[in-house]
Amino acid sequence: MRVTKFEHATLTLVDTGSTLVIDPGSYTAPLGELESVVAIVITHEHPDHWTPGHLDRILGTFPGIPIFGPEGVAKAAPEYDITVVRPGDVVEAEPFRLEFFGGRHAVIHESIPVIDNVGVLVNDDFYYPGDSYDVPEGRTVKLLAAPVGAPWLKIGEAMDFVLAVAPRRVFGTHDMTLSVAGRDNGRMRLGWAAEQGGGELVTLDPGEGTDV
């Protein structure tokens, strides 16, 4: 399975010629030519994780594919057919098995309502938490996409998240709000946390990918 990072929080996973798209949001350039998209996952309703423009482009080429997201996404995007998923749900979008965790977005500030958010474990190997520190308890994660920059993110808490997941490999995502120096510093910290469990950092820039 090939995991490719795009700008900010957008990811694609390709397995046996089929593609899963995760969080095609407002900080991400149009994804261009995709092969055999079978599903889209939107972890939560914030626009840096989905936009109508991205969905329309993907659905225009691959009509009828399922879009999975929490209830907050369904309410925020009523013009789209969102399949609501909750923590503990497992769904199949062949060849992808999707298991969902968490349930709530990380707290930004006490004045800002906390919204729905789901983390997704794909094929028992790759985990992405959306905007949360929710850990897929009891799972061995081969590759983790760990947020490295956000209004809700403190780097020490991000490091604790990686320590708790103990992935074999980790790369930083959710990074468009950072300077190059801040991004690189955050990656270094995540790498240190992964090393404590015998894992390692993978450095991925937009358009770059790795196999899992």
Side-chain angles (χ1 to χ4, degrees), residues 3 8 24 44 69 88 105 107 113 120 133 148 172 179 193:
V3 179
H8 198 54
H44 63 283
H105 192 287
V107 174
V120 60
Y133 298 123
V148 72
S179 67

Side-chain angles (χ1 to χ4, degrees), residues 4-13 19-32 34 37 39-59 65-69 73 77 80 82 120 128 173-174:
T4 301
K5 173 188 168 20
F6 293 90
E7 295 92 350
H8 198 54
T10 302
L11 307 162
T12 63
L13 285 72
T19 301
L20 173 71
V21 179
I22 300 178
D23 281 0
S26 59
Y27 295 158
T28 305
L31 295 178
L34 298 171
V37 177
I40 301 169
V41 172
I42 301 173
T43 60
H44 63 283
E45 66 200 69
H46 287 158
D48 59 326
H49 291 258
W50 80 279
T51 69
H54 280 307
L55 293 189
D56 290 345
R57 277 187 291 271
I58 296 170
L59 294 172
I65 62 171
I67 304 171
F68 300 107
V73 171
Y80 298 97
I82 307 295
V120 60
Y128 172 59
T173 188
H174 208 281

Side-chain angles (χ1 to χ4, degrees), residues 124-144:
D124 295 317
D125 288 332
F126 169 78
Y127 184 63
Y128 172 59
D131 282 9
S132 79
Y133 298 123
D134 290 309
V135 174
E137 298 288 352
R139 305 299 193 276
T140 298
V141 175
K142 292 182 180 178
L143 181 64
L144 173 67

Side-chain angles (χ1 to χ4, degrees), residues 37-122:
V37 177
V38 296
I40 301 169
V41 172
I42 301 173
T43 60
H44 63 283
E45 66 200 69
H46 287 158
D48 59 326
H49 291 258
W50 80 279
T51 69
H54 280 307
L55 293 189
D56 290 345
R57 277 187 291 271
I58 296 170
L59 294 172
T61 305
F62 305 99
I65 62 171
I67 304 171
F68 300 107
E71 188 173 355
V73 171
K75 291 179 178 178
E79 64 273 33
Y80 298 97
D81 184 13
I82 307 295
T83 298
V84 173
V85 290
R86 298 173 176 84
D89 286 352
V90 177
V91 299
E92 301 282 344
E94 291 291 342
F96 302 103
R97 178 183 186 272
L98 312 175
E99 185 174 1
F100 296 94
F101 293 85
R104 304 299 283 168
H105 192 287
V107 174
I108 300 172
H109 186 263
E110 62 182 13
S111 66
I112 300 173
V114 178
I115 61 171
D116 295 333
N117 178 94
V118 289
V120 60
L121 179 70
V122 183

